[in-house]
Coordinates of all heavy atoms in Angstrom, one line a residue:
R33 N 57.6 89.2 -62.1 CA 56.7 90.4 -62.2 C 56.5 90.9 -60.9 O 56.5 92.1 -60.6 CB 55.6 90.2 -63.2 CG 54.9 91.5 -63.4 CD 53.8 91.3 -64.5 NE 54.5 91.2 -65.8 CZ 53.9 91.0 -66.9 NH1 52.5 90.8 -67.0 NH2 54.4 91.0 -68.0
T34 N 56.0 90.1 -60.0 CA 55.6 90.4 -58.7 C 56.7 91.0 -58.0 O 56.6 92.1 -57.2 CB 54.9 89.3 -58.0 OG1 53.9 88.8 -58.6 CG2 54.6 89.7 -56.6
A35 N 58.0 90.4 -58.0 CA 59.1 90.8 -57.3 C 59.5 92.3 -57.8 O 59.8 93.2 -57.1 CB 60.3 89.9 -57.6
S36 N 59.4 92.5 -59.2 CA 59.7 93.8 -59.6 C 58.8 94.9 -59.2 O 59.1 96.0 -58.9 CB 59.7 93.8 -61.2 OG 60.7 92.9 -61.7
T37 N 57.4 94.5 -59.1 CA 56.5 95.4 -58.6 C 56.8 95.7 -57.1 O 56.6 96.8 -56.7 CB 55.1 94.9 -58.7 OG1 54.9 94.6 -60.1 CG2 54.0 95.8 -58.2
D38 N 57.2 94.7 -56.4 CA 57.5 94.9 -55.0 C 58.8 95.8 -54.9 O 58.7 96.7 -54.0 CB 57.9 93.5 -54.2 CG 56.6 92.7 -53.9 OD1 55.5 93.4 -53.8 OD2 56.7 91.5 -53.8
L39 N 59.7 95.7 -55.7 CA 60.8 96.6 -55.7 C 60.4 97.9 -55.9 O 60.8 98.9 -55.2 CB 61.9 96.2 -56.7 CG 62.9 95.1 -56.4 CD1 63.7 94.7 -57.6 CD2 63.7 95.4 -55.2
A40 N 59.6 98.2 -57.0 CA 59.2 99.6 -57.3 C 58.3 100.2 -56.2 O 58.3 101.4 -55.9 CB 58.3 99.5 -58.5
G41 N 57.6 99.4 -55.3 CA 56.9 99.8 -54.2 C 57.6 99.9 -53.0 O 57.0 100.2 -51.9
G42 N 58.9 99.6 -52.9 CA 59.7 99.8 -51.8 C 59.7 98.6 -50.9 O 60.2 98.6 -49.7
R43 N 59.0 97.4 -51.3 CA 59.0 96.2 -50.6 C 60.2 95.3 -50.9 O 60.0 94.2 -51.5 CB 57.6 95.6 -50.8 CG 56.4 96.4 -50.3 CD 55.1 95.7 -50.5 NE 54.8 95.6 -52.1 CZ 54.4 96.6 -52.8 NH1 54.2 97.9 -52.2 NH2 54.1 96.5 -54.2
I44 N 61.3 95.7 -50.4 CA 62.6 95.1 -50.9 C 62.7 93.7 -50.3 O 63.1 92.8 -51.0 CB 63.8 95.9 -50.4 CG1 63.7 97.4 -50.8 CG2 65.1 95.3 -50.8 CD1 63.5 97.6 -52.3
G45 N 62.2 93.4 -49.0 CA 62.4 92.2 -48.5 C 61.5 91.1 -49.2 O 61.8 90.0 -49.5
A46 N 60.2 91.6 -49.5 CA 59.4 90.8 -50.4 C 59.9 90.4 -51.7 O 59.9 89.3 -52.2 CB 57.9 91.4 -50.4
A47 N 60.5 91.5 -52.4 CA 61.1 91.2 -53.7 C 62.2 90.3 -53.6 O 62.4 89.3 -54.5 CB 61.5 92.6 -54.3
L48 N 63.1 90.5 -52.7 CA 64.2 89.5 -52.6 C 63.8 88.1 -52.2 O 64.4 87.1 -52.7 CB 65.2 90.0 -51.5 CG 66.1 91.3 -52.0 CD1 66.9 91.7 -50.8 CD2 66.9 91.0 -53.2
A49 N 62.7 87.9 -51.4 CA 62.3 86.7 -51.1 C 61.8 85.9 -52.3 O 62.0 84.8 -52.5 CB 61.2 86.7 -50.0
S50 N 61.0 86.7 -53.1 CA 60.5 86.2 -54.4 C 61.7 85.7 -55.3 O 61.6 84.6 -55.8 CB 59.6 87.1 -55.1 OG 58.5 87.4 -54.3
Y51 N 62.6 86.6 -55.4 CA 63.7 86.2 -56.3 C 64.5 85.0 -55.8 O 64.9 84.2 -56.6 CB 64.7 87.5 -56.5 CG 64.2 88.5 -57.3 CD1 64.3 89.8 -57.0 CD2 63.7 88.3 -58.6 CE1 63.7 90.8 -57.7 CE2 63.2 89.2 -59.5 CZ 63.2 90.6 -59.0 OH 62.8 91.6 -59.8
D52 N 64.7 84.9 -54.5 CA 65.4 83.9 -53.8 C 64.7 82.6 -54.1 O 65.2 81.4 -54.4 CB 65.6 84.2 -52.4 CG 66.6 83.3 -51.6 OD1 67.5 82.7 -52.5 OD2 66.5 82.9 -50.5
Q53 N 63.3 82.6 -53.9 CA 62.6 81.3 -54.1 C 62.6 80.9 -55.5 O 62.6 79.6 -55.7 CB 61.0 81.6 -53.7 CG 60.9 81.8 -52.2 CD 59.5 82.2 -51.8 OE1 58.6 82.3 -52.7 NE2 59.2 82.4 -50.5
A54 N 62.9 81.8 -56.4 CA 62.9 81.3 -57.9 C 64.4 81.0 -58.2 O 64.6 80.7 -59.4 CB 62.4 82.5 -58.7
G55 N 65.2 81.0 -57.2 CA 66.8 80.6 -57.5 C 67.4 81.7 -58.2 O 68.4 81.4 -58.9
M56 N 67.0 83.0 -58.0 CA 67.6 84.1 -58.7 C 68.4 85.0 -57.8 O 68.9 86.1 -58.3 CB 66.5 84.9 -59.4 CG 65.7 84.1 -60.4 SD 64.3 85.1 -61.0 CE 65.2 86.1 -62.3
V57 N 68.8 84.5 -56.7 CA 69.6 85.3 -55.8 C 70.8 84.6 -55.6 O 70.9 83.4 -55.3 CB 69.0 85.6 -54.5 CG1 69.9 86.3 -53.4 CG2 67.7 86.4 -54.5
R58 N 72.0 85.3 -55.8 CA 73.3 84.7 -55.7 C 74.1 85.6 -54.9 O 74.0 86.9 -55.0 CB 73.9 84.4 -56.9 CG 73.2 83.4 -57.8 CD 74.0 83.0 -59.0 NE 73.3 82.2 -59.8 CZ 73.5 82.1 -61.1 NH1 74.5 82.7 -61.7 NH2 72.7 81.4 -61.9
T59 N 75.2 85.1 -54.2 CA 76.1 85.9 -53.6 C 77.5 85.6 -54.3 O 77.8 84.4 -54.6 CB 76.2 85.8 -52.0 OG1 76.5 84.4 -51.8 CG2 75.0 86.1 -51.4
Q60 N 78.3 86.6 -54.5 CA 79.6 86.3 -55.0 C 80.7 86.9 -54.2 O 80.4 87.7 -53.3 CB 79.6 87.1 -56.4 CG 78.6 86.6 -57.5 CD 78.7 85.2 -57.8 OE1 79.8 84.7 -57.7 NE2 77.7 84.7 -58.3
W61 N 81.9 86.5 -54.4 CA 83.0 86.9 -53.4 C 83.5 88.2 -53.7 O 84.0 89.0 -52.9 CB 84.1 85.9 -53.5 CG 83.7 84.6 -52.8 CD1 83.5 83.4 -53.7 CD2 83.4 84.3 -51.6 NE1 82.9 82.4 -52.7 CE2 83.0 83.0 -51.5 CE3 83.4 85.1 -50.4 CZ2 82.6 82.4 -50.3 CZ3 83.1 84.5 -49.2 CH2 82.8 83.2 -49.1
S62 N 83.3 88.8 -54.9 CA 83.9 90.1 -55.3 C 82.9 90.9 -56.2 O 82.0 90.1 -56.9 CB 85.3 90.0 -56.0 OG 85.1 89.5 -57.3
R63 N 83.0 92.1 -56.4 CA 82.3 92.9 -57.3 C 82.5 92.4 -58.7 O 81.5 92.3 -59.5 CB 82.6 94.4 -57.2 CG 81.9 95.3 -58.1 CD 82.5 96.7 -57.9 NE 82.0 97.6 -59.0 CZ 82.5 97.7 -60.2 NH1 83.5 97.1 -60.6 NH2 81.9 98.6 -61.0
D64 N 83.7 92.1 -59.2 CA 84.0 91.7 -60.5 C 83.3 90.3 -60.8 O 82.8 90.2 -62.0 CB 85.5 91.6 -60.7 CG 86.1 93.0 -60.9 OD1 85.4 94.0 -61.1 OD2 87.4 93.0 -60.5
E65 N 83.3 89.4 -59.7 CA 82.7 88.1 -60.0 C 81.1 88.3 -60.1 O 80.5 87.7 -61.0 CB 83.0 87.3 -58.9 CG 84.4 86.7 -58.9 CD 84.8 86.0 -57.6 OE1 84.1 86.1 -56.5 OE2 85.8 85.3 -57.7
A66 N 80.6 89.2 -59.3 CA 79.1 89.4 -59.4 C 78.8 90.0 -60.7 O 77.8 89.6 -61.3 CB 78.8 90.3 -58.2
I67 N 79.6 90.9 -61.3 CA 79.2 91.5 -62.6 C 79.3 90.5 -63.6 O 78.5 90.3 -64.5 CB 80.1 92.8 -62.7 CG1 79.7 94.0 -61.9 CG2 80.1 93.2 -64.2 CD1 80.5 95.1 -61.9
A68 N 80.5 89.7 -63.6 CA 80.6 88.7 -64.7 C 79.4 87.7 -64.6 O 78.9 87.2 -65.6 CB 81.9 88.0 -64.5
A69 N 79.0 87.2 -63.4 CA 77.9 86.3 -63.3 C 76.6 86.9 -63.8 O 75.9 86.2 -64.5 CB 77.8 85.9 -61.8
L70 N 76.3 88.2 -63.4 CA 75.1 88.8 -64.0 C 75.2 88.9 -65.6 O 74.2 88.5 -66.1 CB 74.9 90.3 -63.5 CG 74.5 90.5 -62.1 CD1 74.8 91.9 -61.6 CD2 73.0 90.1 -62.0
I71 N 76.2 89.2 -66.1 CA 76.3 89.2 -67.6 C 76.2 87.9 -68.3 O 75.5 87.7 -69.2 CB 77.6 90.1 -68.1 CG1 77.5 91.6 -67.7 CG2 77.8 89.9 -69.6 CD1 76.3 92.2 -68.1
D72 N 76.8 87.0 -67.6 CA 76.9 85.6 -68.2 C 75.4 85.1 -68.1 O 74.9 84.5 -69.0 CB 77.8 84.6 -67.4 CG 79.2 84.8 -67.7 OD1 79.6 85.4 -68.7 OD2 80.1 84.3 -67.0
D73 N 74.8 85.3 -67.0 CA 73.4 84.7 -66.8 C 72.4 85.5 -67.9 O 71.7 84.8 -68.6 CB 72.8 85.0 -65.4 CG 73.4 84.1 -64.4 OD1 74.1 83.0 -64.8 OD2 73.2 84.3 -63.2
W74 N 72.6 86.8 -67.9 CA 71.8 87.6 -68.8 C 72.0 87.0 -70.3 O 71.2 86.9 -71.1 CB 72.0 89.0 -68.7 CG 71.5 89.8 -69.9 CD1 70.2 90.3 -69.9 CD2 72.0 90.3 -71.1 NE1 70.0 91.0 -71.0 CE2 71.1 91.0 -71.8 CE3 73.3 90.1 -71.7 CZ2 71.3 91.5 -73.0 CZ3 73.6 90.7 -72.8 CH2 72.5 91.4 -73.6
N75 N 73.3 86.8 -70.6 CA 73.7 86.4 -72.0 C 73.1 85.0 -72.3 O 72.6 84.7 -73.4 CB 75.2 86.5 -72.2 CG 75.6 86.2 -73.7 OD1 75.0 86.9 -74.5 ND2 76.7 85.5 -73.8
N76 N 73.2 84.1 -71.3 CA 72.8 82.7 -71.5 C 71.4 82.7 -71.7 O 70.8 81.7 -72.4 CB 73.2 81.8 -70.4 CG 74.7 81.6 -70.3 OD1 75.4 81.7 -71.4 ND2 75.3 81.3 -69.2
D77 N 70.6 83.5 -71.0 CA 69.1 83.4 -71.0 C 68.6 84.5 -72.0 O 67.4 84.7 -72.1 CB 68.5 83.9 -69.7 CG 68.8 82.9 -68.6 OD1 69.1 81.7 -69.0 OD2 68.8 83.2 -67.4
F78 N 69.4 85.1 -72.9 CA 69.0 86.2 -73.8 C 67.9 85.7 -74.8 O 68.1 84.6 -75.4 CB 70.2 86.7 -74.6 CG 69.7 87.8 -75.5 CD1 69.4 89.0 -75.1 CD2 69.6 87.5 -77.0 CE1 69.1 90.1 -76.1 CE2 69.3 88.5 -77.8 CZ 69.0 89.8 -77.4
D79 N 66.9 86.4 -74.9 CA 65.7 86.2 -75.8 C 65.2 87.5 -76.3 O 64.6 88.3 -75.4 CB 64.6 85.4 -75.0 CG 63.4 85.0 -75.9 OD1 63.4 85.6 -77.0 OD2 62.5 84.3 -75.4
P80 N 65.4 87.8 -77.5 CA 65.1 89.2 -78.0 C 63.5 89.4 -78.0 O 63.1 90.6 -78.0 CB 65.5 89.2 -79.5 CG 65.7 87.7 -79.9 CD 66.0 87.0 -78.5
T81 N 62.7 88.3 -77.7 CA 61.3 88.6 -77.6 C 60.9 88.8 -76.1 O 59.6 89.1 -75.9 CB 60.5 87.4 -78.1 OG1 60.8 86.3 -77.3 CG2 60.9 87.1 -79.6
R82 N 61.7 88.9 -75.2 CA 61.4 89.1 -73.7 C 62.3 90.3 -73.2 O 63.3 90.5 -73.8 CB 61.8 87.8 -73.0 CG 60.9 86.6 -73.5 CD 61.1 85.4 -72.6 NE 60.6 85.6 -71.3 CZ 61.0 85.0 -70.3 NH1 62.0 84.1 -70.3 NH2 60.5 85.2 -69.1
T83 N 61.7 90.8 -72.1 CA 62.3 91.9 -71.5 C 63.1 91.4 -70.2 O 62.5 90.4 -69.5 CB 61.4 92.8 -71.0 OG1 60.6 93.4 -72.1 CG2 62.1 94.1 -70.2
A84 N 64.3 91.8 -70.1 CA 65.1 91.4 -68.8 C 65.6 92.6 -68.3 O 66.0 93.6 -68.8 CB 66.2 90.4 -69.3
L85 N 65.8 92.6 -66.9 CA 66.4 93.6 -66.1 C 67.6 93.2 -65.4 O 67.7 92.0 -64.9 CB 65.3 94.1 -65.1 CG 64.1 94.7 -65.4 CD1 63.2 95.0 -64.3 CD2 64.4 96.0 -66.2
I86 N 68.6 93.9 -65.4 CA 69.8 93.9 -64.5 C 69.8 95.0 -63.6 O 69.9 96.2 -64.1 CB 71.1 93.6 -65.3 CG1 71.0 92.5 -66.2 CG2 72.3 93.5 -64.3 CD1 72.3 92.3 -67.1
L87 N 69.7 94.9 -62.3 CA 69.5 96.1 -61.4 C 70.9 96.4 -60.6 O 71.6 95.4 -60.3 CB 68.5 95.8 -60.4 CG 67.1 95.5 -61.0 CD1 66.1 95.2 -59.9 CD2 66.6 96.8 -61.8
A88 N 71.2 97.6 -60.6 CA 72.4 97.9 -59.8 C 72.1 99.2 -59.1 O 71.3 100.0 -59.5 CB 73.6 98.2 -60.7
H89 N 72.7 99.4 -57.9 CA 72.5 100.7 -57.1 C 73.3 101.8 -57.6 O 72.7 102.9 -57.6 CB 73.0 100.3 -55.6 CG 72.8 101.3 -54.6 ND1 71.4 101.7 -54.3 CD2 73.7 102.1 -54.1 CE1 71.6 102.8 -53.4 NE2 72.9 103.0 -53.3
R90 N 74.5 101.6 -57.9 CA 75.5 102.8 -58.3 C 75.3 103.0 -59.8 O 75.4 102.0 -60.6 CB 76.8 102.6 -57.8 CG 76.9 102.4 -56.4 CD 78.4 102.2 -55.8 NE 79.1 101.4 -56.8 CZ 80.4 101.6 -56.9 NH1 81.2 102.4 -56.2 NH2 81.1 100.8 -57.8
R91 N 75.4 104.2 -60.1 CA 75.4 104.6 -61.6 C 76.7 104.0 -62.3 O 76.6 103.5 -63.4 CB 75.4 106.1 -61.8 CG 74.1 106.7 -61.5 CD 74.1 108.2 -61.7 NE 72.8 108.7 -61.4 CZ 72.5 109.9 -61.3 NH1 73.4 110.9 -61.5 NH2 71.3 110.3 -60.9
A92 N 77.8 104.0 -61.6 CA 79.0 103.4 -62.2 C 78.8 101.9 -62.5 O 79.3 101.5 -63.6 CB 80.3 103.5 -61.2
D93 N 78.1 101.2 -61.6 CA 77.9 99.8 -61.9 C 76.8 99.6 -63.0 O 77.0 98.8 -63.9 CB 77.3 99.2 -60.6 CG 78.4 99.1 -59.6 OD1 79.5 99.1 -59.8 OD2 77.9 99.2 -58.3
V94 N 75.8 100.5 -63.0 CA 74.9 100.4 -64.2 C 75.6 100.6 -65.5 O 75.4 99.9 -66.4 CB 73.8 101.5 -64.0 CG1 72.9 101.6 -65.3 CG2 73.0 101.2 -62.7
R95 N 76.5 101.6 -65.6 CA 77.2 101.9 -66.8 C 78.1 100.7 -67.2 O 78.1 100.3 -68.4 CB 78.1 103.2 -66.6 CG 78.9 103.6 -67.8 CD 79.6 104.9 -67.6 NE 80.1 105.2 -66.4 CZ 79.7 106.0 -65.4 NH1 78.6 106.7 -65.7 NH2 80.2 106.2 -64.2
E96 N 78.7 100.1 -66.2 CA 79.6 98.9 -66.6 C 78.8 97.8 -67.0 O 79.1 97.1 -68.0 CB 80.5 98.5 -65.4 CG 81.4 97.4 -65.8 CD 82.4 97.1 -64.6 OE1 82.6 97.9 -63.7 OE2 83.1 96.0 -64.8
L97 N 77.7 97.5 -66.4 CA 76.7 96.4 -66.8 C 76.1 96.6 -68.2 O 76.2 95.8 -69.0 CB 75.7 96.2 -65.8 CG 76.0 95.7 -64.5 CD1 75.0 95.9 -63.4 CD2 76.4 94.2 -64.6
N98 N 75.8 97.9 -68.4 CA 75.3 98.2 -69.8 C 76.4 98.0 -70.9 O 76.1 97.5 -72.0 CB 74.8 99.6 -69.9 CG 73.4 99.7 -69.3 OD1 72.6 98.8 -69.3 ND2 73.1 101.0 -68.7
E99 N 77.6 98.5 -70.6 CA 78.7 98.3 -71.5 C 78.9 96.8 -71.8 O 79.2 96.4 -73.0 CB 79.9 99.0 -71.0 CG 79.9 100.4 -71.1 CD 81.1 101.2 -70.4 OE1 82.0 100.5 -69.9 OE2 81.1 102.4 -70.3
R100 N 79.0 96.0 -70.8 CA 79.3 94.5 -71.0 C 78.0 93.9 -71.7 O 78.3 92.9 -72.5 CB 79.5 93.9 -69.7 CG 80.9 94.3 -69.0 CD 81.2 93.5 -67.9 NE 82.4 93.8 -67.1 CZ 83.1 93.1 -66.3 NH1 82.7 91.8 -66.2 NH2 84.2 93.5 -65.8
A101 N 77.0 94.3 -71.4 CA 75.8 93.7 -72.1 C 75.7 94.1 -73.6 O 75.5 93.3 -74.4 CB 74.3 94.1 -71.4
R102 N 76.1 95.3 -73.9 CA 76.2 95.7 -75.3 C 77.3 95.0 -76.0 O 77.1 94.6 -77.2 CB 76.6 97.2 -75.3 CG 75.2 98.0 -75.1 CD 75.6 99.6 -75.4 NE 74.5 100.3 -74.9 CZ 74.5 101.1 -73.7 NH1 75.7 101.1 -73.0 NH2 73.4 101.8 -73.4
E103 N 78.3 94.7 -75.4 CA 79.5 93.8 -76.0 C 79.0 92.5 -76.3 O 79.3 92.0 -77.4 CB 80.7 93.7 -75.0 CG 81.5 94.9 -74.7 CD 82.6 94.8 -73.7 OE1 82.7 93.7 -73.1 OE2 83.2 95.8 -73.4
K104 N 78.1 91.9 -75.4 CA 77.6 90.6 -75.8 C 76.6 90.7 -77.0 O 76.5 89.8 -77.8 CB 76.8 90.0 -74.6 CG 77.8 89.7 -73.5 CD 78.8 88.7 -73.8 CE 79.6 88.3 -72.6 NZ 80.7 87.4 -73.0
L105 N 75.9 91.8 -77.1 CA 74.9 91.9 -78.2 C 75.7 92.1 -79.5 O 75.4 91.6 -80.6 CB 74.1 93.2 -78.0 CG 73.0 93.1 -76.9 CD1 72.3 94.4 -76.7 CD2 71.9 92.0 -77.2
V106 N 76.8 92.9 -79.5 CA 77.7 93.0 -80.6 C 78.2 91.7 -81.0 O 78.3 91.4 -82.2 CB 78.8 94.0 -80.4 CG1 79.8 94.0 -81.5 CG2 78.2 95.4 -80.2
E107 N 78.7 90.8 -80.1 CA 79.1 89.5 -80.5 C 78.1 88.7 -81.1 O 78.4 87.9 -82.1 CB 79.6 88.7 -79.2 CG 80.8 89.4 -78.5 CD 81.1 88.7 -77.2 OE1 80.5 87.6 -76.8 OE2 82.0 89.2 -76.5
R108 N 76.7 88.9 -80.8 CA 75.7 88.2 -81.4 C 75.3 88.8 -82.8 O 74.4 88.3 -83.5 CB 74.4 88.3 -80.5 CG 74.5 87.4 -79.3 CD 73.4 87.7 -78.5 NE 73.4 86.9 -77.2 CZ 72.8 85.8 -77.0 NH1 72.1 85.2 -78.0 NH2 72.9 85.2 -75.9
G109 N 75.9 89.9 -83.2 CA 75.6 90.6 -84.4 C 74.4 91.5 -84.3 O 73.8 91.9 -85.2
I110 N 74.0 91.9 -83.1 CA 72.9 92.8 -82.8 C 73.3 94.2 -82.6 O 74.3 94.4 -81.8 CB 72.1 92.2 -81.6 CG1 71.5 90.9 -81.9 CG2 70.9 93.2 -81.3 CD1 70.9 90.1 -80.8

């Protein structure tokens, strides 16, 4: 929550440091690998009683992430 608040407040370095300390920062070799890893992590940690965020800079990436997340929800029957 603190990291998300830092992001909203423009404190990107502090937010990334918090996420990194929590083991939530990863680097991937390609865009496709990064997207697949984000969706896999989101899907593995899915809990309908909790809120989760997947952040992306470009609208095209947001659209693709949303489409892939919806596919996983459909697979779950949601």
Side-chain angles (χ1 to χ4, degrees):
R33 184 173 285 179
T34 300
S36 295
T37 302
D38 284 338
L39 279 176
R43 295 176 296 280
I44 307 305
L48 287 174
S50 293
Y51 286 131
D52 191 30
Q53 289 173 0
M56 300 174 74
V57 174
R58 294 188 190 159
T59 58
Q60 303 295 338
W61 292 108
S62 72
R63 176 184 175 274
D64 290 338
E65 288 171 341
I67 288 172
L70 279 168
I71 295 301
D72 285 345
D73 287 348
W74 172 83
N75 191 44
N76 290 334
D77 294 337
F78 180 76
D79 179 348
T81 65
R82 298 183 67 204
T83 300
L85 297 173
I86 300 174
L87 303 174
H89 180 69
R90 299 179 326 148
R91 288 183 183 168
D93 295 331
V94 170
R95 185 174 32 258
E96 183 169 354
L97 288 163
N98 281 333
E99 288 171 2
R100 290 191 186 198
R102 284 187 190 105
E103 288 172 3
K104 295 297 181 185
L105 290 173
V106 169
E107 288 174 12
R108 291 174 179 269
I110 299 172

